[in-house]
Amino acid sequence: MTLEEIRTKLDDIDKTLKDSFVLRMKCSEQIAEIKADSNDSIYKPDRETLIISRNSADVDEPIRKEYREFLKTIIGLSRKYQYEKINEIKCPKFLNDIINSLFTDDNSKKDVNIRFKCDDTFDAFSAAIAMVHNYDCVINDFSCEHLDEGKYIISFKTYIDRNNTENLAMLYQLSEETTDFEIY
């Protein structure tokens, strides 16, 4: 097979992946609507672990790790999308309270400090940082402190626009998927 033939085959695969991704996001939107009505939590780490284990079990060893990362990324993007949709449907009261306390003047944009704890595992740490990155937030003044209790304290400064629904969804997601979440 020539290089061009292989590239054509990859183009066809990419089209199939795109179609599947769009369908998955439509399902994620429906899940968000149901969870908004039922107040069910979006983040289900045990379910995500089960999905990743079940779907990667029969993948050949040389690419299993990459496939697991692929699934984690897709699941993380689906979760992000669900937070955005729920935030559009009904912004949680605690988030409204936080935003109102931060933005006491007419200015709708502000540098804020964010601080939270996450588990002392590479997956938890990298997932928290990837989550912020997925919302295209710029992280400044980043610090990470390891605690004896098996947790990390992560803190950073970022720019928040109270009228930007993605900024609000990021705050919502961080508050739900980490512990001791603070914004000031």
Side-chain angles (χ1 to χ4, degrees):
M1 198 175 267
T2 68
L3 181 60
E4 282 307 312
E5 290 170 331
I6 295 170
R7 285 182 175 160
T8 298
K9 190 173 183 176
L10 283 176
D11 290 343
D12 292 341
I13 292 168
D14 288 342
K15 167 77 170 93
T16 302
L17 286 172
K18 179 186 77 171
D19 294 343
S20 295
F21 180 77
V22 168
L23 183 58
R24 188 178 215 293
M25 296 308 267
K26 286 179 183 175
C27 288
S28 293
E29 184 171 0
Q30 293 171 338
I31 288 170
E33 291 167 359
I34 292 167
K35 287 183 176 184
D37 288 340
S38 67
N39 291 322
D40 193 7
S41 75
I42 292 171
Y43 186 46
K44 307 275 186 174
D46 293 340
R47 176 165 164 65
E48 291 180 14
T49 300
L50 178 67
I51 290 167
I52 291 166
S53 295
R54 183 182 62 220
N55 288 324
S56 63
D58 63 346
V59 175
D60 290 339
E61 186 61 40
I63 61 168
R64 186 175 301 143
K65 181 179 177 185
E66 287 76 8
Y67 184 68
R68 292 173 65 84
E69 288 305 312
F70 174 73
L71 289 176
K72 287 178 190 177
T73 300
I74 290 173
I75 290 169
L77 291 172
S78 294
R79 232 180 27 249
K80 172 186 178 284
Y81 190 62
Q82 288 178 44
Y83 280 105
E84 291 171 6
K85 290 299 163 188
I86 286 180
N87 198 50
E88 287 174 13
I89 295 167
K90 61 172 191 175
C91 184
K93 182 184 179 328
F94 79 90
L95 188 54
N96 267 330
D97 292 346
I98 290 171
I99 295 302
N100 289 334
S101 69
L102 284 172
F103 295 93
T104 54
D105 53 19
D106 290 336
N107 193 356
S108 67
K109 300 171 185 170
K110 184 176 204 162
D111 281 326
V112 297
N113 295 295
I114 295 176
R115 184 175 187 264
F116 56 87
K117 289 182 184 175
C118 69
D119 290 336
D120 179 10
T121 65
F122 178 74
D123 279 352
F125 178 81
S126 61
I129 301 306
M131 179 192 318
V132 175
H133 173 74
N134 286 340
Y135 285 102
D136 293 328
C137 284
V138 175
I139 295 176
N140 297 307
D141 300 331
F142 177 84
S143 73
C144 179
E145 176 186 350
H146 185 259
L147 302 176
D148 290 336
E149 63 192 58
K151 301 257 184 201
Y152 283 112
I153 293 179
I154 297 174
S155 60
F156 60 90
K157 185 179 277 190
T158 193
Y159 184 76
I160 297 293
D161 179 347
R162 76 178 301 162
N163 298 318
N164 181 315
T165 56
E166 280 206 350
N167 286 172
L168 300 180
M170 180 199 65
L171 297 176
Y172 179 26
Q173 186 171 1
L174 279 172
S175 72
E176 291 288 309
E177 296 186 17
T178 63
T179 57
D180 299 334
F181 174 79
E182 296 177 89
I183 180 169
Y184 50 96

